[in-house]
Amino acid sequence: MKKFVILFFLICVKSAFAQVIPDSVDLRNNSFYAVFENNTPARDKYQVAKKWFAANLQNFRDITISEDPRHCKIVMKPLVLYKADPYSKCYLATELTFECDKNQFCIKFDNIKKRAAFSTMANIESADTVYLQSKHTTDVEIGKYRRYHELKAKSAPTAEELKEIRSFAFFDQYTEEALRKENMANYCELQKIVADIVNQLKLTLEEI
């Protein structure tokens, strides 16, 4: 019985270490690459991975760029929805590549980005997301904020417009701080999403 308990513990430890830990997922270059040994026939891995992507990524047919059964390779551009903060939802956008041979498989994420998901505001910059979605932000403030960015985009503002820009200068300090906070929260969230996709696909392929 004691030997069984020790064996069970070792299996659990091995399984735990086999998982990709979110903190180990470095996205600072907006990319992530992982390779795993797996001796299941390449075509089997390819078919199972394709089914997994179809079942777990929305609109698989629409997001798929290419499928290459001969070289056991799939390239797609998924959008993974997540809640960035209590007031807003976002997408992880990336180019995702799965490839395998008889000895291993790899999964690669390129051009990882965060996109805002609003029905009325489309894709807004990260700092804007925090400010415009805050429950404390009034319609008047939103109007001022948009006017501020409109003026700052002008190559040659008039004297009156420069005076107006200076009156909105507090937005710079706010958005800079908001961006720092939001980026930290979103970075951790994106790490979790990438690790979760890798771990679930790895577990699925190990069960073939």
Side-chain angles (χ1 to χ4, degrees):
M1 180 66 182
K2 188 175 181 180
K3 288 183 179 178
F4 174 77
V5 172
I6 293 172
L7 179 61
F8 179 76
F9 174 75
L10 289 174
I11 290 172
C12 288
V13 169
K14 183 179 179 183
S15 177
F17 277 104
Q19 298 297 300
V20 173
I21 309 301
D23 288 348
S24 71
V25 177
D26 188 345
L27 305 179
R28 284 174 294 182
N29 292 321
N30 296 322
S31 62
F32 180 72
Y33 182 73
V35 181
F36 302 99
E37 291 182 9
N38 186 301
N39 295 321
T40 305
R43 287 189 177 275
D44 291 349
K45 286 197 287 277
Y46 173 82
Q47 291 298 333
V48 170
K50 181 179 173 180
K51 287 180 182 177
W52 188 88
F53 287 128
N56 290 277
L57 297 179
Q58 288 188 347
N59 304 318
F60 177 70
R61 287 292 170 199
D62 295 332
I63 65 172
T64 301
I65 299 173
S66 65
E67 295 179 43
D68 185 350
R70 184 179 175 186
H71 296 98
C72 298
K73 182 177 180 180
I74 307 171
V75 181
M76 63 205 92
K77 283 191 172 183
L79 290 172
V80 183
L81 185 66
Y82 72 97
K83 199 162 188 180
D85 57 56
Y87 315 113
S88 62
K89 292 181 180 179
C90 295
Y91 289 102
L92 177 151
T94 186
E95 183 172 299
L96 178 58
T97 302
F98 171 85
E99 196 167 6
C100 65
D101 58 30
K102 62 181 180 179
N103 299 315
Q104 63 185 21
F105 70 88
C106 67
I107 183 167
K108 182 168 65 170
F109 298 78
D110 287 312
N111 300 317
I112 297 173
K113 297 177 182 177
K114 190 209 84 171
R115 289 187 183 174
F118 308 116
S119 58
T120 56
M121 296 181 185
N123 291 325
I124 299 176
E125 294 297 324
S126 296
D128 297 354
T129 301
V130 176
Y131 185 79
L132 296 177
Q133 290 297 299
S134 170
K135 65 180 180 181
H136 304 296
T137 307
T138 65
D139 290 339
V140 172
E141 287 174 314
I142 291 174
K144 288 180 180 178
Y145 189 70
R146 287 177 173 158
R147 174 62 176 163
Y148 174 60
H149 279 275
E150 178 188 325
L151 292 172
K152 284 199 73 174
K154 289 195 171 186
S155 57
T158 65
E160 284 300 314
E161 287 172 338
L162 284 172
K163 187 186 292 186
E164 195 175 356
I165 288 172
R166 284 193 289 273
S167 73
F168 293 146
F170 73 92
F171 279 125
D172 272 339
Q173 184 178 356
Y174 177 88
T175 54
E176 192 175 325
E177 168 120 5
L179 185 57
R180 276 199 303 271
K181 289 180 179 177
E182 190 205 19
N183 279 347
M184 180 56 68
N186 276 278
Y187 186 82
C188 294
E189 191 63 39
L190 298 185
Q191 282 181 309
K192 289 177 187 174
I193 293 170
V194 169
D196 190 45
I197 290 173
V198 173
N199 288 332
Q200 286 189 45
L201 180 59
K202 180 175 181 291
L203 182 61
T204 301
L205 293 176
E206 285 173 349
E207 291 177 346
I208 299 175

